[in-house]
Amino acid sequence: MEECRAESVALYLASNRDIASIFGLTSRQDQDDLAYYTFVVMACAGVRALEWFDPATGRHGQAHMEARLGITNWMLDHGLGRVEYVEGKEGELVDAFVRLDRQAVLEKGKEVMGKLLVELQVRTRFPILPR
């Protein structure tokens, strides 16, 4: 939960223009690029996290990777992107990838991550509450 919270805070703050300007990103385009690319990097990390999943145990071998996959799933479940599948000639799955919607990330990414942070806070503070 703590790894998920830490990564989620980074995504929540990615669109903060005051923070971006501290690092010399003063144009709106640069600030928007930073916010979007931060979400893209997380989505890539979430996909890579599948390498750490052990189907035999049903667990991840690394907490950071489990958190990243959870965050990526949260982003997809809340309309920031989608999974696209590539099929071969016989209809078999050849590849799959996550495509994030830049406009959705910029318009509601902070709100989506804020909801995740509230969810994490409630679940860690009151773990017995029903979902």
Side-chain angles (χ1 to χ4, degrees):
M1 292 289 228
E2 287 306 314
E3 300 304 337
C4 193
R5 185 187 335 258
E7 299 276 14
S8 298
V9 167
L11 291 167
Y12 182 83
L13 294 175
S15 63
N16 185 298
R17 298 195 187 283
D18 292 333
I19 294 172
S21 66
I22 291 170
F23 297 100
L25 301 173
T26 55
S27 76
R28 183 172 186 90
Q29 179 67 44
D30 288 345
Q31 292 173 350
D32 286 350
D33 287 348
L34 172 67
Y36 176 67
Y37 295 144
T38 302
F39 277 77
V40 168
V41 168
M42 181 57 64
C44 291
V47 172
R48 293 232 29 224
L50 294 170
E51 297 174 15
W52 292 84
F53 184 76
D54 182 357
T57 63
R59 299 184 56 92
H60 278 79
Q62 216 280 343
H64 285 92
M65 293 303 190
E66 186 171 10
R68 291 168 182 155
L69 180 58
I71 292 167
T72 299
N73 283 330
W74 182 269
M75 290 191 299
L76 297 176
D77 289 347
H78 289 82
L80 298 184
R82 65 187 178 281
V83 177
E84 293 184 4
Y85 301 96
V86 178
E87 295 180 353
K89 294 178 183 176
E90 305 293 320
E92 74 279 11
L93 180 63
V94 174
D95 204 352
F97 58 95
V98 173
R99 183 179 308 274
L100 292 184
D101 180 330
R102 180 182 173 97
Q103 184 174 351
V105 167
L106 296 177
E107 288 178 1
K108 63 181 191 171
K110 182 176 182 174
E111 175 189 345
V112 167
M113 296 318 301
K115 288 179 182 179
L116 178 56
L117 287 167
V118 169
E119 182 78 15
L120 290 169
Q121 184 66 23
V122 169
R123 290 189 173 277
T124 56
R125 182 72 174 100
F126 305 104
I128 59 171
L129 288 178
R131 185 164 197 202

